[in-house]
């Protein structure tokens, strides 16, 4: 399996089959209680490992892929889009974020080890409760706080792993036929002007899955200095934080509809801001915004519900994962819960190829 079909388009990862994945900065939730979906605060910058091969450690070079900078205890969510149906595996330290099972090369339904695109618009954390997830939060390897450490007893991989599977030829042809019929019906309906338009970008503080209102596009800094021997970087992984209301949707297709071989995969390395500056020569994004100030300003939070989809039950493995505060101590950052009217309900390219490696 090679990563020849994976590309970077700005800060978006594009996998074969029209799959697009973005990594979104967000507010970290308190580790107690259940909360609405936090807002997106801009994209994480994403860079190819191959473009900085003389500055990254050998183990990072060997795994290939891409990298992005995260602060200690910084929270993130993954935004998904797809032009055609796809099954996407999401690993955190090569532990499935949906099933809690070890990373597998094949799709599985018992338990389901993937999300279905485009139905799943985003994933904010591990599938740890009925209708809830526990937020992705960055922590260094070596403490045992990552999902990987708690599930496997070891911390070897860190980072995030993505692998996409397309529909088989017959199933894809049938989906395309039905999609063409749907678009024709839309065009023929009274007042119809063709296929439904995509949702417009919202006002500042837009919902998960939408383009961020303040894209973090220019993390420019001084040019990278002359190449220096790479040193051991602090490897980062994902633990969990607070709980939020979000469903991980159950696949309603027969498993046999999906290809047995992935179309593309990519390893996403998480590096500390100092390492990011040393490797890329770019300034990292600023430290995350104070969450109480965000809420006091009256900016929106979100609640997403799909009445036609069925929530995927969590596994015992992921329900047992404890938040990072058990290792790092209490979160002393002030918290102000959003008011009811701040929670907004939702719903009812060219570039350089990303090189794959051994992982």
């Amino acid at each position: 399996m090679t990563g020849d079909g994976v590309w970077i388009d700005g800060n978006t990862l594009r996998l074969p089959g029209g799959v697009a994945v973005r990594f979104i900065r967000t507010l970290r939730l308190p580790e107690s209680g259940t909360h609405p979906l936090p807002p997106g605060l801009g994209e994480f910058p994403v860079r190819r490992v191959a473009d900085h091969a003389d500055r990254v450690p050998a183990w990072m070079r060997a795994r290939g892929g891409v990298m992005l900078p995260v602060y200690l205890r910084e929270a993130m969510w993954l935004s998904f889009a797809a032009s055609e149906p796809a099954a996407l595996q999401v690993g955190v330290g090569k532990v499935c974020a949906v099933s809690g099972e070890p990373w597998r090369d094949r799709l599985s339904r018992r338990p389901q080890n993937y999300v279905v695109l485009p139905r799943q618009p985003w994933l904010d954390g591990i599938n740890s409760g009925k209708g809830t997830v526990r937020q992705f939060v960055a922590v260094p390897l070596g403490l045992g706080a990552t999902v990987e450490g708690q599930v496997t007893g070891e911390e070897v991989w860190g980072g995030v792993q993505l692998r996409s599977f397309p529909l088989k030829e017959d199933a894809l042809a049938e989906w395309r036929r039905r999609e063409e019929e749907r678009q024709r019906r839309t065009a023929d309906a009274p007042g119809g002007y063709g296929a439904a338009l995509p949702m417009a970008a919202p006002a500042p503080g837009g919902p998960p899955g939408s383009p961020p209102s303040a894209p973090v596009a220019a993390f420019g800094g001084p040019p990278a200095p002359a190449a220096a021997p790479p040193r051991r970087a602090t490897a980062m992984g994902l633990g969990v934080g607070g709980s939020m209301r979000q469903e991980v949707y159950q696949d309603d297709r027969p498993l046999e509809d999906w290809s047995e071989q992935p179309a593309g995969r990519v390893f996403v390395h998480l590096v500390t801001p100092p390492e990011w500056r040393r490797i890329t020569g770019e300034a990292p994004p600023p430290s995350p915004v104070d969450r109480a100030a965000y809420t006091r300003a009256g900016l929106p939070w979100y609640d997403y519900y799909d009445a036609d989809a069925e929530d995927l039950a969590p596994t015992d493995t992921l329900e047992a994962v404890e938040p990072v505060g058990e290792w790092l101590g209490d979160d002393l950052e002030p918290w102000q819960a959003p008011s009811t009217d701040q929670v907004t309900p939702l719903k009812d390219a060219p570039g350089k190829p990303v090189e794959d490696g051994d992982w």
Side-chain angles (χ1 to χ4, degrees):
M1 181 66 226
T2 68
D4 293 342
V6 181
W7 299 72
I8 289 184
D9 179 8
N11 293 320
T12 300
L13 282 177
R14 298 199 178 275
L15 285 75
V19 173
V21 180
R22 295 184 300 134
F23 297 84
I24 309 297
R25 308 182 79 205
T26 189
L27 302 177
R28 190 175 75 251
L29 299 173
E31 293 179 355
S32 60
T34 300
H35 309 275
L37 298 176
L41 300 176
E43 300 170 337
F44 284 92
V46 179
R47 302 291 181 264
R48 298 193 321 152
V49 168
D51 289 336
H52 305 280
D54 59 341
R55 294 182 168 276
V56 299
W59 57 267
M60 186 181 292
R61 225 172 19 246
R63 294 173 187 173
V66 300
M67 58 186 167
L68 60 85
V70 289
Y71 289 85
L72 175 65
R73 268 183 157 170
E74 183 171 11
M76 72 165 62
W77 50 270
L78 279 59
S79 169
F80 305 135
S83 57
E84 296 182 333
L88 182 70
Q89 291 179 322
V90 180
V92 286
K94 294 187 75 170
V95 171
C96 178
V98 176
S99 70
E101 297 282 320
W103 189 252
R104 296 182 57 183
D105 292 337
R106 298 290 182 91
L107 299 180
S108 170
R109 287 286 270 275
R110 296 185 179 179
Q112 182 175 314
N113 65 351
Y114 58 95
V115 295
V116 180
L117 308 185
R119 166 152 274 174
Q120 190 79 39
W122 49 72
L123 187 66
D124 286 62
I126 63 171
N127 182 32
S128 59
K130 181 63 176 175
T132 64
V133 300
R134 291 202 77 104
Q135 189 174 42
F136 292 133
V137 175
V139 286
L141 303 191
L143 302 177
T146 62
V147 176
E148 176 186 4
Q150 294 188 56
V151 171
T152 70
E154 298 180 305
E155 292 183 317
V156 176
W157 298 101
V160 176
Q161 298 77 40
L162 302 171
R163 185 161 44 202
S164 65
F165 292 75
L167 287 174
K168 290 180 180 176
E169 185 175 339
D170 290 347
L172 181 58
E174 176 63 15
W175 178 86
R176 287 173 175 170
R177 184 189 66 78
R178 292 184 178 182
E179 185 67 8
E180 288 176 0
E181 289 182 355
R182 184 191 67 80
Q183 293 187 14
R184 280 198 298 270
R185 288 195 300 271
T186 302
D188 293 342
Y193 295 94
L197 295 173
M199 183 182 296
S210 65
S213 56
V216 189
F219 296 119
R231 60 183 176 83
R232 178 67 181 179
T234 302
M236 300 286 283
L238 291 179
V240 301
S243 178
M244 71 188 78
R245 293 184 290 276
Q246 182 177 86
E247 294 181 328
V248 178
Y249 297 124
Q250 184 172 339
D251 188 7
D252 56 8
R253 288 181 174 276
L255 187 62
E256 294 73 23
D257 279 4
W258 298 107
S259 171
E260 295 178 358
Q261 298 298 324
R265 70 172 195 168
V266 61
F267 197 111
V268 183
H269 302 269
L270 309 180
V271 301
T272 64
E275 284 298 306
W276 174 264
R277 184 187 291 273
R278 183 190 66 79
I279 292 170
T280 67
E282 301 177 35
S287 183
V289 68
D290 176 83
R291 62 196 187 197
Y294 182 99
T295 301
R296 285 197 302 271
L299 299 174
W301 294 66
Y302 299 92
D303 192 10
Y304 184 92
Y305 177 67
D306 187 337
D308 297 326
E310 184 174 349
D311 181 43
L312 189 66
T315 62
D316 293 341
T317 303
L318 293 182
E319 280 188 302
V321 173
E322 296 180 330
V324 299
E326 296 295 320
W327 282 261
L328 302 180
D330 292 336
D331 181 2
L332 301 179
E333 186 179 350
W335 168 251
Q336 179 176 332
S339 60
T340 302
D341 58 4
Q342 282 180 265
V343 179
T344 303
L346 301 174
K347 190 179 166 46
D348 157 80
K352 294 182 179 179
V354 175
E355 296 182 6
D356 192 18
D358 297 326
W359 51 276

